[in-house]
């Protein structure tokens, strides 16, 4: 924020203070409204300070609170736009800095690796900042729209209420004085009954309604209100429901044009899962009262439960048109749109739900889950973290963990999967998830108890047996691992991963024919998979069937052309065939795809030596020594260098 803007805010604050000193009369006049104005100006000044200190998120939080109250606050809008723009500029500066860092030469390879990691972290932070800025801007715009819609709805309601009041006055005016007095007394008793009902004083409420019935036993409204008390008291109590149905039917007998008894019957039938009856009664209520949002909400719920999603969508849309403040209707509309395979529209309605209720954890969860399904893990994480902030449940911890997993941030994924285990220890999936991440982190010993617990809780899930087999295999118990892989295959014959691991165990035991049979069975399930063909290439190479090995390597690379592993495996076969120039090309490609693939450096050094290109071999091997530190591959490279 420029100094002029900040100075203007401070001057405004000074003017408010001066008005309080001018005189008692002026102070009394201004005091009531100036309290809110003072708070607003203080908030604007604090937001300006935060912008100067580059704490844009804190500034945006303050400005968001002002704009929720008044979307047309021009000063707040201007400061918000300034904060968003400066936040974008900061994100862009971070990216520029990252690109500059990439261009700068660095002779120390280890320092270069660290610089690359730091640059990636800065770029990720910049992307997150930009995504957060976009999200805030969208939320503020949505809140502005909803505020305008709510104001329009309130105006419409005031006009309808006034119209109803005038109609009631006209109706009473047409009655005799005695009849008008009776109707007013009935209405007063029903109003008192409604207040008692809202305080959960249902017996007293029914007493007032009985008094109204004594005045006019033919009043349909009194019977409808009596039915309502039984539903509101306990909709799951069979005796209450029987009485509510009886009073509703008596109300309809007296006045079939009154909407309330149909609404009550619809709620009862939906609760008892008689969805067709519920839809019939609630549709009638909606026809008789097309301006009541609660009726359309209940109708939407019945249609959703009956899996009539297109109808449910129309009902929920009618509900939110009539009541923009019903966050549950926006949420249910989002669920309905998911069922109708319209995820983008679903996200829009979940965002409206959180605009109405800022701590709506379930809505944030659905936004995040849908974004994750669309491959947008960064924005998904932002929303899922919001869900977790408001509801520290196992479900939300799992969702946050999956976002981190998709982003390749395994330590963070492990943290939240572990949280899920602590919050929900009796769920096998939580133990399985934790074991899977630990295995990805090469921590098989820690993974083993989690994997074993998942199988103990539910041994019928093939993924659980497969994961336990991986942990056991990594710890060296090949025979026991085979049993778990075979169990996974029995449970799902089309499950290829355990077949590949089983073949690898046969390879380690030098049982090449058995390994080949397992992999050929896997190829019958899916002959185009990269992992199946890569392992077939390995077995054929070990059986010295090099042409077959090359064929399957080519198929694997066609499936995953950017895999360094596949290029490396192809090179191993080419080396066996003494096709060194082709092997050199394949290994060079592997290193270009993965600059930390140390085994590829060793093999490339050996190939270059075989091609009598010792100078280039020294260069490659020295790169490995410089970058791989004290690894076993670096030690091999030193040995090869010493031999040159």
């Amino acid at each position: 924020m420029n100094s002029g803007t900040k100075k203007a805010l401070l001057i405004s604050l000074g003017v408010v203070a001066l008005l309080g000193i001018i005189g008692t009369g002026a102070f009394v006049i201004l005091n009531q409204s100036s309290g809110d104005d003072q708070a607003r100006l203080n908030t604007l000044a604090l937001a300006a300070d935060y912008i100067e200190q580059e704490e844009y998120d804190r500034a945006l939080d303050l400005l968001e609170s002002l704009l929720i109250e008044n979307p047309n606050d021009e000063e707040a809008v201007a400061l918000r736009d300034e904060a968003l723009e400066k936040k974008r500029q900061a994100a862009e500066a971070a990216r520029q800095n990252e690109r500059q860092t990439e261009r700068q030469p660095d002779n120390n390879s280890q320092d270069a690796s660290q610089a690359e990691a730091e640059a990636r972290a800065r770029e990720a932070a910049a992307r997150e900042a930009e995504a957060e800025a976009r999200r805030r801007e969208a939320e503020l715009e949505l809140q502005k729209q909803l505020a305008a819609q709510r104001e329009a709805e309130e105006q419409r309601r005031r006009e309808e209420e006034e119209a109803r009041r005038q109609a009631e006055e006209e109706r009473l005016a047409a009655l005799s004085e005695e009849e008008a007095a009776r109707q007013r007394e009935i209405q007063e008793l029903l109003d008192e009954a409604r207040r008692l009902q809202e305080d959960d004083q249902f017996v007293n409420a029914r007493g007032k309604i009985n008094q109204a019935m004594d005045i006019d036993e033919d009043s349909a409204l009194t019977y409808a209100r009596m039915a309502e008390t039984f539903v509101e008291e306990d909709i799951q109590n069979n005796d209450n429901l029987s009485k509510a149905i009886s009073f509703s039917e008596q109300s309809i007998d007296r006045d079939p044009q009154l909407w309330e008894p149909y609404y009550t019957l619809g709620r009862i039938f939906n609760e008892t899962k008689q969805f067709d009856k519920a839809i019939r009664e609630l549709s009638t209520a909606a026809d008789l009262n097309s301006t009541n949002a609660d009726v359309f909400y209940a109708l939407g719920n019945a249609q959703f439960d009956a899996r009539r999603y297109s109808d449910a969508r129309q009902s929920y849309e009618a509900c939110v048109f009539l009541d923009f403040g019903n966050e549950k209707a926006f949420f249910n509309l989002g669920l309905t749109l998911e069922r109708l395979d319209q995820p983008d529209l679903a996200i829009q309605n979940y965002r409206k739900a959180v605009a109405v209720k800022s701590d709506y954890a379930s809505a944030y969860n659905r936004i995040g889950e849908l974004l994750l399904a669309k491959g947008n893990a960064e924005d998904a994480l932002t929303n899922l973290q919001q869900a977790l902030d408001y509801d520290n449940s196992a479900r939300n911890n799992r969702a946050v963990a999956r976002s981190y997993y998709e982003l390749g941030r395994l330590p963070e994924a492990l943290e939240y999967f572990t949280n899920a285990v602590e919050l929900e220890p009796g769920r096998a999936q939580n133990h399985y998830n934790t074991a899977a991440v630990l295995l990805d982190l090469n921590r098989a010993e820690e993974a083993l108890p989690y994997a074993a617990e998942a199988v103990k809780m539910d041994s019928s899930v093939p993924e659980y047996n497969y994961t336990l087999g991986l942990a056991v295999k990594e710890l060296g118990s090949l025979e026991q691992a085979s049993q778990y892989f075979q169990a996974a295959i029995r449970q799902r014959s089309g499950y290829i991963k355990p077949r590949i691991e089983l073949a690898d165990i046969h390879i380690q035991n030098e049982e090449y024919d058995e390994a080949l049979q397992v992999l050929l069975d896997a190829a019958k399930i899916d002959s185009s998979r990269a992992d199946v063909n890569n392992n077939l290439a390995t077995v054929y190479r070990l059986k010295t069937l090099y042409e077959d090995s090359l064929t399957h390597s080519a198929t694997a690379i066609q499936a995953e052309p950017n895999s360094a592993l596949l290029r490396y495996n192809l090179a191993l076969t080419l080396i066996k065939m003494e096709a060194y120039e082709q092997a050199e090309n394949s290994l060079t490609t592997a290193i270009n795809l993965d600059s930390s693939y140390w085994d590829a450096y060793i093999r490339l050094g050996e190939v270059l030596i075989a091609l009598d290109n010792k100078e280039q071999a020294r260069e490659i091997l020295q790169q490995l020594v410089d970058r791989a530190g004290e690894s076993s591959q670096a030690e091999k490279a030193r040995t090869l260098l010493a031999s040159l």
Side-chain angles (χ1 to χ4, degrees), residues 426-634:
R427 189 184 181 104
Q429 180 189 0
N430 295 330
H431 296 273
Y432 159 74
N433 290 337
T434 305
V437 177
L438 284 166
L439 285 169
D440 285 343
L441 290 167
N442 298 317
R443 293 160 61 177
E445 190 170 353
E446 295 173 65
L448 181 60
Y450 288 104
E453 188 65 22
V455 171
K456 180 180 178 182
M457 289 181 178
D458 190 352
S459 61
S460 66
V461 179
E463 286 82 3
Y464 298 172
N465 281 293
Y466 169 71
T467 302
L468 180 54
L470 285 180
V472 171
K473 180 188 173 198
E474 287 297 316
L475 295 173
S477 299
L478 300 185
E479 184 176 351
Q480 189 178 7
S482 294
Q483 295 174 8
Y484 291 116
F485 294 139
Q486 288 167 355
I489 293 168
R490 284 195 302 272
Q491 289 162 347
R492 188 189 303 149
S493 60
Y495 197 6
I496 288 179
K497 287 183 177 180
R499 294 179 184 275
I500 290 173
E501 294 298 331
L502 190 59
D504 186 61
I505 290 174
H506 286 307
I507 290 171
Q508 291 187 46
N509 291 331
E510 299 184 359
E511 299 165 352
Y512 302 136
D513 290 337
E514 290 85 347
L516 180 59
Q517 187 57 56
V518 170
L519 291 168
L520 289 174
D521 289 341
K524 291 177 183 176
I525 299 168
D526 187 347
S527 62
S528 64
R529 279 180 60 131
D531 50 3
V532 171
N533 283 284
N534 186 51
N535 281 277
L536 279 169
T538 297
V539 173
Y540 281 124
R541 181 179 67 249
L542 293 170
K543 290 173 66 67
T544 68
L545 299 171
Y546 300 131
E547 292 298 332
D548 290 330
S549 179
L550 290 179
T551 298
H552 286 285
S553 278
T555 304
I557 290 170
Q558 185 177 10
E560 292 185 15
N562 295 322
S563 169
L565 171 64
L566 302 184
R567 305 284 180 167
Y568 177 79
N569 203 34
L570 171 61
L572 295 183
T573 300
L574 291 168
I575 290 169
K576 286 290 185 180
M577 298 172 70
E578 298 185 359
Y580 296 125
E581 290 183 355
Q582 292 173 271
E584 178 188 356
N585 291 334
S586 189
L587 290 166
T588 301
T589 302
I591 292 170
N592 288 336
L593 290 168
D594 182 357
S595 62
S596 61
Y597 200 157
W598 308 137
D599 286 336
Y601 284 83
I602 291 289
R603 290 292 186 180
L604 181 55
E606 292 173 343
V607 166
L608 290 168
I609 291 170
L611 290 170
D612 201 27
N613 191 343
K614 294 183 179 180
E615 185 170 341
Q616 191 175 352
R618 287 193 189 93
E619 182 180 339
I620 289 294
L621 294 169
Q622 189 60 53
Q623 285 182 27
L624 176 57
V625 170
D626 293 340
R627 296 189 61 194
E630 299 302 318
S631 66
S632 60
Q633 292 94 335

